[in-house]
Amino acid sequence: VRIGVFDSGIGGVTVLKELVRRFPVAEFLYLGDTANVPYGSKSPAQVKALCAHAARELGGRGVDAVVVACNTASSLALPEMQAELGDVPVIGMVESGGRAVLERLQECPEGAPVLVLATRATVRSGAYGALLKKALVGTGHAVFEQACPLLVPMIEEGWNDHPILAQAVREYVSPFAAAPIPGVALLGCTHYPWIQPVIERALPGWRVVNSARAVGEVLSRAAGTAESSAAGAEARVTWLFTDPEAVPAFRWEDEESNA
Amino acid sequence: VRIGVFDSGIGGVTVLKELVRRFPVAEFLYLGDTANVPYGSKSPAQVKALCAHAARELGGRGVDAVVVACNTASSLALPEMQAELGDVPVIGMVESGGRAVLERLQECPEGAPVLVLATRATVRSGAYGALLKKALVGTGHAVFEQACPLLVPMIEEGWNDHPILAQAVREYVSPFAAAPIPGVALLGCTHYPWIQPVIERALPGWRVVNSARAVGEVLSRAAGTAESSAAGAEARVTWLFTDPEAVPAFRWEDEESNA
């Protein structure tokens, strides 16, 4: 089975890693639109056009399913991508992440809030808010969305352990950290799992949800791919970048060992 | 006279403001490639292609001169833009900024260092370093280039007065602030004039050069435009953006009153 994984840049690697772990016998085609990254500050029309183009590219390479491993693209352009890909299932981050939040919320006391951390474009799209508010109407769980536009550039600068990044995270989440009941925070951007410990420290008592985990389950159903933990099996990953020279240095091996 | 001003986004507005002040009777065409901003993290090939496209766009609108109000584009793609524009003079930031640095250096003691602050792409291009080192060979003035990739996203986030931005600036310049003789620091990115006071505080005793000022003089010679301070005259500015919805909110009037 051949699975396309699409992201605006390299953030989707956090999702790919999770998929490779779950489906070690699949063949993965990772498409990063590094010529046009970041999507988070672009207009919806621009994001839709770029995503449709990416979907055509992946469709032309005979994929069996496409995972849109980019929250901005998932929030704004799933219908456009599905239209290009016909019967091939297109799986986004929003539904998967939303489902994971609702599951974790079962463990929380009544009135526990939900906080979605994401790029400005994802927050503006209102996709997470609409999904979660609809599911939680009348339950007493409030839903908040916080745009954190500086975290992606800081992570790409390699400042993951830098005090300035920790300070920026506190700046973004401090109003929620002060809530009387800790709740569930969703990492609504695929870069954020890289700084999950920093976010957890800034939100004491909160459950932090990595939506990359959830997307694997949805993929399993959609593509009919049997999850396998076959020891020794090795997924094949082919890398496609629209601007190969613009790919920030990242070490897949190191990432693996940190996982 | 019709002058094209090109930038990857809105940073070139700091240059446009200076040009409008100096040439109040000219007509300005500002082209911001907001669909593809930022250039600072793209590969040279990608930047060259986008700049050639922008030059064709401005050339088709009958400009008499083009100011490339983007240091990344100036460092990487002046020849490509000039090739598209034939006899129309194309003026970049690097030569103008370099000249301004050399002038200010006259006021400094022997051995005063030169520091260029810029995006990663501008620093990688080595354009400022090559120009300044050649001009200063044998003089005892050392030339340093420091990439400051987080400053543009912070400025676009509106954190100009935020302690996190001041901390990031200190992080970038602290090795130079400790130099025994203060020198000349060039704002090698058109966003940086917006935080010039923060940079000046982080580099006590240094002379900080805004290259937008210098570009006006070069334009005056190239386009044969008479500098004018005619009271009441008002330059006309036409705005073109490749993704109009992606233009960050900015207030020309407020900017003017802060100038």
Side-chain angles (χ1 to χ4, degrees):
Chain A
V1 66
R2 181 181 288 179
I3 300 166
V5 178
F6 169 62
D7 182 39
S8 55
I10 59 144
V13 169
T14 61
V15 176
L16 176 64
K17 273 173 53 186
E18 180 63 22
L19 297 176
V20 163
R21 193 183 67 76
R22 289 180 73 121
F23 309 107
V25 295
E27 182 192 346
F28 291 92
L29 208 58
Y30 185 93
L31 172 56
D33 190 8
T34 46
N36 296 298
V37 76
Y39 283 8
S41 50
K42 291 188 182 1
S43 68
Q46 176 82 357
V47 172
K48 284 174 209 281
L50 293 169
C51 289
H53 192 265
R56 276 196 298 278
E57 177 71 29
L58 286 170
R61 290 167 183 259
V63 291
D64 301 301
V66 169
V67 172
V68 185
C70 169
N71 284 271
T72 305
S74 297
S75 307
L76 292 169
L78 273 199
E80 285 75 11
M81 295 189 74
Q82 190 67 73
E84 295 287 342
L85 282 157
D87 293 336
V88 174
V90 178
I91 298 145
M93 302 302 293
V94 177
E95 207 201 331
S96 325
R99 184 179 312 202
V101 165
L102 297 175
E103 279 171 23
R104 295 303 297 278
L105 208 51
Q106 305 295 322
E107 309 161 11
C108 295
E110 215 172 318
V114 173
L115 172 61
V116 179
L117 304 173
T119 63
R120 194 178 295 294
T122 300
V123 169
R124 275 200 189 134
S125 78
Y128 277 108
L131 181 95
L132 289 167
K133 282 174 188 163
K134 191 175 168 195
L136 293 171
V137 69
T139 62
H141 294 289
V143 178
F144 302 94
E145 293 177 274
Q146 173 66 48
C148 311
L150 285 172
L151 299 186
V152 169
M154 285 186 181
I155 292 165
E156 298 204 332
E157 175 69 350
W159 284 18
N160 299 15
D161 299 317
H162 197 288
I164 290 184
L165 181 134
Q167 198 181 337
V169 168
R170 284 195 300 273
E171 175 91 12
Y172 288 132
V173 308
S174 60
F176 310 102
I181 308 172
V184 175
L186 176 71
L187 306 181
C189 167
T190 52
H191 276 66
Y192 299 172
W194 278 314
I195 56 162
Q196 186 162 345
V198 181
I199 292 170
E200 284 171 342
R201 278 196 294 277
L203 284 168
W206 284 62
R207 288 157 174 82
V208 175
V209 170
N210 174 350
S211 53
R213 300 270 152 81
V215 102
E217 285 175 34
V218 178
L219 176 64
S220 181
R221 279 191 299 273
T225 311
E227 189 167 344
S228 157
S229 58
E234 203 177 319
R236 214 175 80 207
V237 179
T238 303
W239 303 94
L240 304 167
F241 292 106
T242 52
D243 186 357
E245 286 180 71
V247 178
F250 84 94
R251 299 168 302 274
W252 175 263
E253 289 305 327
D254 285 10
E255 292 302 328
E256 279 299 293
S257 64
N258 292 337
Chain B
V1 64
R2 180 181 289 179
I3 300 165
V5 178
F6 170 61
D7 182 40
S8 56
I10 58 143
V13 169
T14 60
V15 176
L16 177 64
K17 273 171 54 187
E18 180 62 23
L19 297 176
V20 163
R21 193 182 67 76
R22 289 179 73 119
F23 309 106
V25 295
E27 183 191 346
F28 291 92
L29 210 59
Y30 184 93
L31 172 58
D33 190 8
T34 47
N36 296 297
V37 76
Y39 282 8
S41 50
K42 291 188 181 7
S43 68
Q46 176 81 357
V47 171
K48 285 175 208 280
L50 293 169
C51 289
H53 192 267
R56 276 195 296 280
E57 177 70 28
L58 287 170
R61 290 167 183 259
V63 291
D64 301 299
V66 169
V67 172
V68 185
C70 169
N71 284 272
T72 305
S74 297
S75 306
L76 292 170
L78 274 200
E80 286 74 9
M81 295 189 74
Q82 188 68 71
E84 295 288 342
L85 283 157
D87 292 337
V88 174
V90 178
I91 298 146
M93 302 302 292
V94 177
E95 207 201 332
S96 324
R99 185 179 310 204
V101 165
L102 298 175
E103 279 172 21
R104 295 303 297 278
L105 208 51
Q106 305 296 322
E107 309 162 10
C108 295
E110 215 172 319
V114 172
L115 173 61
V116 178
L117 303 172
T119 64
R120 195 177 295 294
T122 300
V123 169
R124 277 200 188 133
S125 78
Y128 276 108
L131 180 94
L132 289 166
K133 281 172 188 163
K134 192 176 166 196
L136 293 170
V137 69
T139 63
H141 295 288
V143 177
F144 302 95
E145 294 179 90
Q146 172 66 49
C148 310
L150 286 172
L151 300 186
V152 168
M154 287 185 179
I155 292 165
E156 296 203 332
E157 175 70 348
W159 285 17
N160 298 17
D161 299 318
H162 196 290
I164 290 184
L165 180 134
Q167 200 180 336
V169 168
R170 282 195 302 272
E171 176 89 11
Y172 289 132
V173 308
S174 61
F176 309 102
I181 308 172
V184 175
L186 176 70
L187 305 181
C189 167
T190 52
H191 277 66
Y192 299 171
W194 278 313
I195 56 163
Q196 186 161 348
V198 181
I199 292 170
E200 284 170 343
R201 277 195 295 277
L203 284 168
W206 285 62
R207 287 158 175 81
V208 175
V209 170
N210 173 349
S211 53
R213 301 271 152 80
V215 103
E217 284 174 37
V218 179
L219 177 63
S220 180
R221 277 191 298 274
T225 313
E227 190 168 344
S228 157
S229 58
E234 203 176 320
R236 215 174 79 206
V237 180
T238 303
W239 302 93
L240 304 167
F241 291 107
T242 52
D243 186 357
E245 286 180 70
V247 178
F250 83 94
R251 299 169 303 276
W252 174 264
E253 289 303 329
D254 285 10
E255 291 302 328
E256 279 297 294
S257 65
N258 291 338

